Amino acid sequence: MDQSIQTSTLERLLKRDRAVILAALLAASLLAWSYIAAGIGMDMDAMAMPDMAMPADWTPAYFALMLAMWAVMMVAMMLPSAAPMVLLFATLERRRHAASPFWATTLFASAYLVVWSGFSLAATVFQWQLDRLAQLTPMLATTNAVLAAIVLVAAGAYQFTPLKQACLRGCRSPIEFVSRYWSRGAFGIGLFHGLYCLGCCWMLMLVLVVMGMM
């Protein structure tokens, strides 16, 4: 009887945990998409008209705006894709420690986003250098057709490399992945998951730099 009550209580807690975490992920994603839909702090109409667009002046404020644009875009695109792993981690955390998993899950998700924030910084620097060399249009696409072709071919070829396949295996076996890195703690597991995810997607994201994310 006691075992049945404990099982029922655990199931109720797991359902509540799932609802709360899904609501938090949905809210964060919607906020990120809303920022993008609002124009990410830029005059999109002016950017769409090359004759009216002024060359970018890469001041610290403009660099920060570009970095924020990339970071928010990564939250909007990658956080929903990480939702199954986040929910799995929360479930295992609840079962193993019989305590609220919200703090540990927050650390896990934060570490995941730290990895994509690092990618956002690298993409912003790359974009800055392209613009400095006059290789960028007002819509933030490269004017260098050869560079664009190289990136597209490299992105396609990368899909067949051993590194891409290794990263995919890590993402396709979530329970095995979490078990392997459990000793790293919530933040450490989130970092490794972010790195595996980055390993799967970084070349595709690089296409955005040269083809024009706008």
Side-chain angles (χ1 to χ4, degrees):
M1 184 67 176
D2 290 342
Q3 182 65 33
S4 176
I5 293 175
Q6 290 177 357
T7 301
S8 178
T9 300
L10 177 59
E11 291 302 320
R12 286 198 302 272
L13 290 172
L14 288 173
K15 289 181 179 179
R16 186 199 64 180
D17 293 345
R18 186 181 183 86
V20 171
I21 292 169
L22 276 175
L25 292 174
L26 179 61
S29 298
L30 286 176
L31 284 172
W33 280 113
S34 297
Y35 178 71
I36 293 171
I40 53 181
M42 300 181 184
D43 187 347
M44 302 301 292
D45 292 334
M47 293 182 69
M49 302 178 66
D51 292 339
M52 297 178 60
M54 298 295 292
D57 182 12
W58 282 82
T59 63
Y62 185 79
F63 185 93
L65 178 62
M66 289 291 101
L67 177 58
M69 175 188 66
W70 272 102
V72 171
M73 189 164 58
M74 292 302 101
V75 171
M77 295 194 328
M78 303 312 300
L79 194 57
S81 71
M85 181 66 89
V86 174
L87 291 171
L88 172 64
F89 176 82
T91 298
L92 294 176
E93 185 73 14
R94 168 67 76 177
R95 290 184 180 277
R96 287 174 69 99
H97 299 296
S100 171
F102 297 139
W103 173 244
T105 305
T106 299
L107 287 177
F108 175 89
S110 298
Y112 178 81
L113 293 178
V114 162
V115 173
W116 283 105
S117 296
F119 171 81
S120 299
L121 177 60
T124 304
V125 171
F126 183 42
Q127 198 172 61
W128 171 30
Q129 294 307 305
L130 286 178
D131 203 21
R132 186 177 65 85
L133 297 172
Q135 298 291 308
L136 216 58
T137 71
M139 290 299 286
L140 305 182
T142 183
T143 59
N144 190 323
V146 174
L147 175 61
I150 290 173
V151 171
L152 284 172
V153 171
Y158 179 71
Q159 309 312 308
F160 303 97
T161 62
L163 177 59
K164 173 63 181 278
Q165 300 309 311
C167 291
L168 282 176
R169 284 194 296 272
C171 292
R172 288 170 176 169
S173 304
I175 294 180
E176 179 184 344
F177 178 88
V178 173
S179 300
R180 183 190 309 168
Y181 294 107
W182 191 265
S183 62
R184 305 279 183 170
F187 196 83
I189 299 173
L191 280 179
F192 276 98
H193 180 54
L195 290 172
Y196 273 79
C197 191
L198 179 62
C200 290
C201 304
W202 74 277
M203 280 300 300
L204 297 177
M205 295 299 179
L206 192 58
V207 171
L208 293 176
V209 180
V210 298
M211 299 305 294
M213 70 192 71
M214 296 306 170

Short mmCIF file of all heavy atoms in Angstrom, two decimals, residues 102-156:
data_model
loop_
_atom_site.label_atom_id
_atom_site.label_comp_id
_atom_site.label_asym_id
_atom_site.label_seq_id
_atom_site.Cartn_x
_atom_site.Cartn_y
_atom_site.Cartn_z
N PHE A 102 14.21 21.63 -10.25
CA PHE A 102 14.18 22.88 -11.00
C PHE A 102 15.52 23.60 -11.03
O PHE A 102 15.94 24.13 -12.06
CB PHE A 102 13.09 23.81 -10.45
CG PHE A 102 11.70 23.25 -10.58
CD1 PHE A 102 10.77 23.38 -9.56
CD2 PHE A 102 11.32 22.58 -11.73
CE1 PHE A 102 9.50 22.85 -9.69
CE2 PHE A 102 10.05 22.04 -11.87
CZ PHE A 102 9.14 22.18 -10.85
N TRP A 103 16.23 23.63 -9.90
CA TRP A 103 17.51 24.33 -9.88
C TRP A 103 18.53 23.61 -10.75
O TRP A 103 19.23 24.23 -11.57
CB TRP A 103 18.03 24.45 -8.45
CG TRP A 103 19.43 25.00 -8.35
CD1 TRP A 103 20.53 24.37 -7.89
CD2 TRP A 103 19.88 26.30 -8.78
NE1 TRP A 103 21.65 25.17 -7.97
CE2 TRP A 103 21.27 26.37 -8.52
CE3 TRP A 103 19.23 27.40 -9.33
CZ2 TRP A 103 22.02 27.50 -8.82
CZ3 TRP A 103 19.99 28.52 -9.63
CH2 TRP A 103 21.36 28.57 -9.37
N ALA A 104 18.60 22.29 -10.61
CA ALA A 104 19.55 21.52 -11.42
C ALA A 104 19.21 21.63 -12.90
O ALA A 104 20.11 21.74 -13.75
CB ALA A 104 19.54 20.06 -10.98
N THR A 105 17.93 21.60 -13.22
CA THR A 105 17.51 21.71 -14.62
C THR A 105 17.84 23.09 -15.18
O THR A 105 18.21 23.23 -16.35
CB THR A 105 16.01 21.42 -14.76
OG1 THR A 105 15.71 20.14 -14.18
CG2 THR A 105 15.58 21.42 -16.21
N THR A 106 17.71 24.12 -14.35
CA THR A 106 18.09 25.47 -14.78
C THR A 106 19.58 25.53 -15.09
O THR A 106 20.00 26.14 -16.09
CB THR A 106 17.74 26.49 -13.69
OG1 THR A 106 16.32 26.47 -13.46
CG2 THR A 106 18.15 27.90 -14.11
N LEU A 107 20.39 24.90 -14.26
CA LEU A 107 21.83 24.85 -14.52
C LEU A 107 22.13 24.12 -15.82
O LEU A 107 22.97 24.54 -16.62
CB LEU A 107 22.55 24.16 -13.36
CG LEU A 107 22.67 24.94 -12.05
CD1 LEU A 107 23.34 24.06 -10.99
CD2 LEU A 107 23.48 26.22 -12.26
N PHE A 108 21.43 23.01 -16.02
CA PHE A 108 21.62 22.21 -17.24
C PHE A 108 21.30 23.06 -18.47
O PHE A 108 22.10 23.13 -19.42
CB PHE A 108 20.72 20.98 -17.18
CG PHE A 108 20.73 20.15 -18.43
CD1 PHE A 108 21.66 19.13 -18.59
CD2 PHE A 108 19.82 20.37 -19.45
CE1 PHE A 108 21.68 18.36 -19.75
CE2 PHE A 108 19.83 19.62 -20.61
CZ PHE A 108 20.76 18.61 -20.77
N ALA A 109 20.14 23.69 -18.49
CA ALA A 109 19.73 24.49 -19.65
C ALA A 109 20.64 25.70 -19.83
O ALA A 109 20.96 26.09 -20.96
CB ALA A 109 18.28 24.94 -19.49
N SER A 110 21.07 26.31 -18.72
CA SER A 110 21.96 27.47 -18.80
C SER A 110 23.30 27.09 -19.43
O SER A 110 23.84 27.83 -20.27
CB SER A 110 22.19 28.07 -17.41
OG SER A 110 20.97 28.53 -16.86
N ALA A 111 23.83 25.93 -19.03
CA ALA A 111 25.11 25.48 -19.60
C ALA A 111 24.95 25.21 -21.09
O ALA A 111 25.85 25.54 -21.88
CB ALA A 111 25.57 24.22 -18.88
N TYR A 112 23.83 24.63 -21.48
CA TYR A 112 23.56 24.39 -22.90
C TYR A 112 23.59 25.70 -23.68
O TYR A 112 24.18 25.78 -24.76
CB TYR A 112 22.20 23.70 -23.03
CG TYR A 112 21.76 23.42 -24.45
CD1 TYR A 112 22.25 22.31 -25.14
CD2 TYR A 112 20.86 24.26 -25.11
CE1 TYR A 112 21.85 22.05 -26.44
CE2 TYR A 112 20.46 24.01 -26.41
CZ TYR A 112 20.96 22.90 -27.07
OH TYR A 112 20.56 22.65 -28.36
N LEU A 113 22.97 26.73 -23.11
CA LEU A 113 22.92 28.02 -23.79
C LEU A 113 24.26 28.75 -23.74
O LEU A 113 24.55 29.57 -24.62
CB LEU A 113 21.82 28.90 -23.18
CG LEU A 113 20.40 28.38 -23.40
CD1 LEU A 113 19.39 29.29 -22.72
CD2 LEU A 113 20.08 28.29 -24.90
N VAL A 114 25.09 28.45 -22.74
CA VAL A 114 26.44 29.03 -22.69
C VAL A 114 27.22 28.60 -23.93
O VAL A 114 27.95 29.40 -24.53
CB VAL A 114 27.17 28.60 -21.39
CG1 VAL A 114 28.68 28.82 -21.52
CG2 VAL A 114 26.63 29.39 -20.20
N VAL A 115 27.09 27.34 -24.30
CA VAL A 115 27.80 26.84 -25.49
C VAL A 115 27.35 27.60 -26.73
O VAL A 115 28.17 28.06 -27.54
CB VAL A 115 27.55 25.33 -25.67
CG1 VAL A 115 28.14 24.85 -27.00
CG2 VAL A 115 28.17 24.55 -24.52
N TRP A 116 26.04 27.79 -26.88
CA TRP A 116 25.54 28.50 -28.06
C TRP A 116 25.83 29.99 -27.99
O TRP A 116 25.93 30.65 -29.03
CB TRP A 116 24.05 28.23 -28.24
CG TRP A 116 23.83 26.86 -28.81
CD1 TRP A 116 23.38 25.74 -28.17
CD2 TRP A 116 24.10 26.45 -30.15
NE1 TRP A 116 23.34 24.68 -29.01
CE2 TRP A 116 23.78 25.08 -30.25
CE3 TRP A 116 24.58 27.11 -31.29
CZ2 TRP A 116 23.94 24.37 -31.43
CZ3 TRP A 116 24.73 26.40 -32.46
CH2 TRP A 116 24.41 25.04 -32.53
N SER A 117 26.00 30.51 -26.78
CA SER A 117 26.43 31.91 -26.65
C SER A 117 27.87 32.06 -27.14
O SER A 117 28.23 33.06 -27.76
CB SER A 117 26.31 32.37 -25.20
OG SER A 117 24.96 32.37 -24.78
N GLY A 118 28.69 31.05 -26.85
CA GLY A 118 30.06 31.06 -27.37
C GLY A 118 30.08 31.04 -28.89
O GLY A 118 30.86 31.76 -29.52
N PHE A 119 29.20 30.22 -29.48
CA PHE A 119 29.10 30.21 -30.94
C PHE A 119 28.63 31.56 -31.44
O PHE A 119 29.10 32.05 -32.48
CB PHE A 119 28.13 29.12 -31.40
CG PHE A 119 27.82 29.19 -32.87
CD1 PHE A 119 28.70 28.65 -33.80
CD2 PHE A 119 26.68 29.83 -33.34
CE1 PHE A 119 28.44 28.73 -35.16
CE2 PHE A 119 26.41 29.92 -34.69
CZ PHE A 119 27.29 29.36 -35.61
N SER A 120 27.69 32.19 -30.73
CA SER A 120 27.18 33.50 -31.13
C SER A 120 28.30 34.53 -31.16
O SER A 120 28.37 35.37 -32.07
CB SER A 120 26.07 33.96 -30.17
OG SER A 120 24.98 33.06 -30.20
N LEU A 121 29.18 34.47 -30.17
CA LEU A 121 30.32 35.39 -30.13
C LEU A 121 31.24 35.16 -31.33
O LEU A 121 31.68 36.12 -31.99
CB LEU A 121 31.09 35.21 -28.82
CG LEU A 121 32.35 36.06 -28.65
CD1 LEU A 121 32.01 37.54 -28.71
CD2 LEU A 121 33.03 35.72 -27.32
N ALA A 122 31.53 33.89 -31.63
CA ALA A 122 32.40 33.59 -32.76
C ALA A 122 31.75 34.04 -34.07
O ALA A 122 32.43 34.60 -34.95
CB ALA A 122 32.68 32.08 -32.81
N ALA A 123 30.45 33.84 -34.22
CA ALA A 123 29.75 34.25 -35.45
C ALA A 123 29.76 35.76 -35.60
O ALA A 123 29.91 36.29 -36.70
CB ALA A 123 28.31 33.72 -35.42
N THR A 124 29.61 36.47 -34.47
CA THR A 124 29.62 37.94 -34.52
C THR A 124 30.99 38.46 -34.94
O THR A 124 31.09 39.39 -35.76
CB THR A 124 29.24 38.52 -33.14
OG1 THR A 124 27.96 38.00 -32.75
CG2 THR A 124 29.16 40.03 -33.19
N VAL A 125 32.04 37.88 -34.39
CA VAL A 125 33.40 38.29 -34.77
C VAL A 125 33.65 38.01 -36.25
O VAL A 125 34.22 38.85 -36.98
CB VAL A 125 34.44 37.57 -33.90
CG1 VAL A 125 35.86 37.83 -34.42
CG2 VAL A 125 34.33 38.03 -32.45
N PHE A 126 33.22 36.85 -36.73
CA PHE A 126 33.39 36.50 -38.14
C PHE A 126 32.63 37.49 -39.03
O PHE A 126 33.16 37.97 -40.05
CB PHE A 126 32.87 35.08 -38.37
CG PHE A 126 33.05 34.57 -39.77
CD1 PHE A 126 34.22 34.79 -40.49
CD2 PHE A 126 32.04 33.86 -40.39
CE1 PHE A 126 34.38 34.32 -41.78
CE2 PHE A 126 32.18 33.37 -41.68
CZ PHE A 126 33.36 33.61 -42.38
N GLN A 127 31.42 37.82 -38.62
CA GLN A 127 30.62 38.79 -39.37
C GLN A 127 31.28 40.17 -39.39
O GLN A 127 31.30 40.85 -40.43
CB GLN A 127 29.24 38.87 -38.71
CG GLN A 127 28.16 39.47 -39.58
CD GLN A 127 26.82 39.30 -38.90
OE1 GLN A 127 26.60 39.80 -37.80
NE2 GLN A 127 25.91 38.61 -39.56
N TRP A 128 31.82 40.55 -38.27
CA TRP A 128 32.52 41.84 -38.15
C TRP A 128 33.70 41.90 -39.12
O TRP A 128 33.90 42.90 -39.82
CB TRP A 128 32.97 42.01 -36.70
CG TRP A 128 33.88 43.17 -36.44
CD1 TRP A 128 33.93 44.36 -37.11
CD2 TRP A 128 34.88 43.24 -35.42
NE1 TRP A 128 34.89 45.17 -36.57
CE2 TRP A 128 35.50 44.52 -35.53
CE3 TRP A 128 35.31 42.37 -34.43
CZ2 TRP A 128 36.53 44.92 -34.69
CZ3 TRP A 128 36.33 42.77 -33.57
CH2 TRP A 128 36.93 44.04 -33.71
N GLN A 129 34.46 40.82 -39.18
CA GLN A 129 35.62 40.80 -40.06
C GLN A 129 35.20 40.82 -41.53
O GLN A 129 35.84 41.48 -42.36
CB GLN A 129 36.48 39.57 -39.77
CG GLN A 129 37.13 39.59 -38.39
CD GLN A 129 37.90 40.88 -38.13
OE1 GLN A 129 38.79 41.26 -38.91
NE2 GLN A 129 37.58 41.56 -37.05
N LEU A 130 34.13 40.12 -41.87
CA LEU A 130 33.62 40.18 -43.23
C LEU A 130 33.21 41.60 -43.60
O LEU A 130 33.49 42.09 -44.70
CB LEU A 130 32.42 39.23 -43.40
CG LEU A 130 32.71 37.73 -43.46
CD1 LEU A 130 31.41 36.95 -43.57
CD2 LEU A 130 33.63 37.39 -44.63
N ASP A 131 32.54 42.27 -42.68
CA ASP A 131 32.10 43.64 -42.93
C ASP A 131 33.30 44.57 -43.05
O ASP A 131 33.32 45.48 -43.88
CB ASP A 131 31.17 44.09 -41.80
CG ASP A 131 30.26 45.23 -42.25
OD1 ASP A 131 30.07 45.41 -43.47
OD2 ASP A 131 29.73 45.94 -41.38
N ARG A 132 34.32 44.35 -42.21
CA ARG A 132 35.51 45.19 -42.25
C ARG A 132 36.22 45.07 -43.59
O ARG A 132 36.83 46.04 -44.09
CB ARG A 132 36.46 44.77 -41.12
CG ARG A 132 37.70 45.65 -40.96
CD ARG A 132 38.53 45.20 -39.77
NE ARG A 132 39.07 43.88 -39.97
CZ ARG A 132 40.20 43.61 -40.63
NH1 ARG A 132 40.89 44.59 -41.19
NH2 ARG A 132 40.64 42.37 -40.75
N LEU A 133 36.10 43.90 -44.22
CA LEU A 133 36.73 43.65 -45.53
C LEU A 133 35.78 43.96 -46.68
O LEU A 133 36.06 43.61 -47.83
CB LEU A 133 37.19 42.19 -45.62
CG LEU A 133 38.26 41.77 -44.61
CD1 LEU A 133 38.48 40.27 -44.67
CD2 LEU A 133 39.57 42.52 -44.87
N ALA A 134 34.66 44.62 -46.37
CA ALA A 134 33.65 44.98 -47.37
C ALA A 134 33.11 43.75 -48.09
O ALA A 134 32.88 43.76 -49.31
CB ALA A 134 34.23 45.98 -48.37
N GLN A 135 32.90 42.68 -47.34
CA GLN A 135 32.40 41.44 -47.91
C GLN A 135 30.97 41.13 -47.44
O GLN A 135 30.51 39.99 -47.52
CB GLN A 135 33.31 40.27 -47.50
CG GLN A 135 34.73 40.38 -48.00
CD GLN A 135 34.81 40.23 -49.51
OE1 GLN A 135 34.31 39.29 -50.09
NE2 GLN A 135 35.45 41.19 -50.16
N LEU A 136 30.26 42.17 -46.95
CA LEU A 136 28.95 41.95 -46.37
C LEU A 136 27.96 42.95 -46.92
O LEU A 136 28.26 44.15 -47.04
CB LEU A 136 29.03 42.10 -44.84
CG LEU A 136 28.17 41.18 -43.97
CD1 LEU A 136 28.48 39.72 -44.25
CD2 LEU A 136 28.40 41.49 -42.50
N THR A 137 26.76 42.48 -47.26
CA THR A 137 25.69 43.35 -47.74
C THR A 137 24.93 43.93 -46.55
O THR A 137 25.09 43.45 -45.42
CB THR A 137 24.70 42.58 -48.62
OG1 THR A 137 23.93 41.68 -47.80
CG2 THR A 137 25.43 41.79 -49.69
N PRO A 138 24.07 44.94 -46.77
CA PRO A 138 23.24 45.46 -45.67
C PRO A 138 22.34 44.41 -45.04
O PRO A 138 21.96 44.54 -43.87
CB PRO A 138 22.41 46.56 -46.35
CG PRO A 138 23.25 47.01 -47.50
CD PRO A 138 23.93 45.77 -47.99
N MET A 139 21.99 43.35 -45.79
CA MET A 139 21.17 42.26 -45.24
C MET A 139 22.02 41.19 -44.56
O MET A 139 21.56 40.10 -44.25
CB MET A 139 20.33 41.63 -46.35
CG MET A 139 19.22 42.55 -46.85
SD MET A 139 18.04 43.00 -45.56
CE MET A 139 17.14 41.47 -45.40
N LEU A 140 23.29 41.50 -44.34
CA LEU A 140 24.23 40.64 -43.62
C LEU A 140 24.49 39.32 -44.35
O LEU A 140 24.61 38.26 -43.73
CB LEU A 140 23.72 40.38 -42.19
CG LEU A 140 23.42 41.63 -41.35
CD1 LEU A 140 22.98 41.22 -39.96
CD2 LEU A 140 24.61 42.56 -41.29
N ALA A 141 24.58 39.39 -45.66
CA ALA A 141 25.00 38.25 -46.48
C ALA A 141 26.33 38.62 -47.13
O ALA A 141 26.61 39.79 -47.38
CB ALA A 141 23.96 37.96 -47.54
N THR A 142 27.14 37.63 -47.42
CA THR A 142 28.43 37.91 -48.02
C THR A 142 28.27 38.32 -49.48
O THR A 142 27.38 37.84 -50.19
CB THR A 142 29.38 36.70 -47.93
OG1 THR A 142 30.65 37.05 -48.48
CG2 THR A 142 28.83 35.52 -48.70
N THR A 143 29.13 39.22 -49.92
CA THR A 143 29.16 39.61 -51.33
C THR A 143 30.13 38.75 -52.12
O THR A 143 30.25 38.90 -53.34
CB THR A 143 29.59 41.09 -51.46
OG1 THR A 143 30.90 41.25 -50.87
CG2 THR A 143 28.61 42.01 -50.74
N ASN A 144 30.83 37.87 -51.44
CA ASN A 144 31.85 37.02 -52.07
C ASN A 144 31.22 35.67 -52.43
O ASN A 144 31.01 34.82 -51.58
CB ASN A 144 33.02 36.83 -51.10
CG ASN A 144 34.21 36.16 -51.78
OD1 ASN A 144 34.05 35.29 -52.62
ND2 ASN A 144 35.40 36.57 -51.39
N ALA A 145 30.93 35.49 -53.72
CA ALA A 145 30.27 34.26 -54.17
C ALA A 145 31.15 33.04 -53.95
O ALA A 145 30.65 31.95 -53.65
CB ALA A 145 29.90 34.39 -55.65
N VAL A 146 32.46 33.21 -54.07
CA VAL A 146 33.38 32.08 -53.87
C VAL A 146 33.33 31.62 -52.41
O VAL A 146 33.25 30.42 -52.13
CB VAL A 146 34.81 32.47 -54.27
CG1 VAL A 146 35.79 31.34 -53.92
CG2 VAL A 146 34.88 32.78 -55.75
N LEU A 147 33.35 32.58 -51.48
CA LEU A 147 33.28 32.24 -50.06
C LEU A 147 31.96 31.54 -49.74
O LEU A 147 31.93 30.54 -49.02
CB LEU A 147 33.42 33.51 -49.21
CG LEU A 147 33.24 33.33 -47.69
CD1 LEU A 147 34.29 32.38 -47.14
CD2 LEU A 147 33.31 34.68 -46.98
N ALA A 148 30.86 32.07 -50.29
CA ALA A 148 29.56 31.44 -50.06
C ALA A 148 29.53 30.01 -50.58
O ALA A 148 29.02 29.10 -49.91
CB ALA A 148 28.46 32.27 -50.72
N ALA A 149 30.10 29.80 -51.75
CA ALA A 149 30.13 28.46 -52.34
C ALA A 149 30.96 27.51 -51.49
O ALA A 149 30.59 26.35 -51.26
CB ALA A 149 30.68 28.52 -53.76
N ILE A 150 32.11 28.00 -51.01
CA ILE A 150 32.99 27.16 -50.18
C ILE A 150 32.27 26.74 -48.91
O ILE A 150 32.31 25.57 -48.50
CB ILE A 150 34.29 27.91 -49.85
CG1 ILE A 150 35.16 28.05 -51.11
CG2 ILE A 150 35.07 27.17 -48.75
CD1 ILE A 150 36.38 28.92 -50.92
N VAL A 151 31.59 27.68 -48.27
CA VAL A 151 30.89 27.37 -47.02
C VAL A 151 29.76 26.37 -47.28
O VAL A 151 29.55 25.43 -46.51
CB VAL A 151 30.34 28.66 -46.38
CG1 VAL A 151 29.41 28.32 -45.21
CG2 VAL A 151 31.49 29.53 -45.89
N LEU A 152 29.01 26.55 -48.36
CA LEU A 152 27.91 25.64 -48.68
C LEU A 152 28.43 24.23 -48.95
O LEU A 152 27.86 23.24 -48.45
CB LEU A 152 27.14 26.16 -49.88
CG LEU A 152 26.21 27.35 -49.63
CD1 LEU A 152 25.65 27.88 -50.95
CD2 LEU A 152 25.06 26.94 -48.71
N VAL A 153 29.50 24.12 -49.73
CA VAL A 153 30.06 22.80 -50.02
C VAL A 153 30.61 22.18 -48.75
O VAL A 153 30.42 20.98 -48.48
CB VAL A 153 31.16 22.91 -51.10
CG1 VAL A 153 31.90 21.58 -51.25
CG2 VAL A 153 30.55 23.33 -52.43
N ALA A 154 31.31 22.98 -47.93
CA ALA A 154 31.87 22.46 -46.68
C ALA A 154 30.76 22.00 -45.73
O ALA A 154 30.89 20.97 -45.06
CB ALA A 154 32.72 23.53 -46.01
N ALA A 155 29.66 22.75 -45.68
CA ALA A 155 28.53 22.36 -44.82
C ALA A 155 27.94 21.04 -45.27
O ALA A 155 27.58 20.19 -44.44
CB ALA A 155 27.46 23.45 -44.84
N GLY A 156 27.85 20.84 -46.59
CA GLY A 156 27.34 19.58 -47.08
C GLY A 156 28.29 18.43 -46.81
O GLY A 156 27.88 17.34 -46.37
#
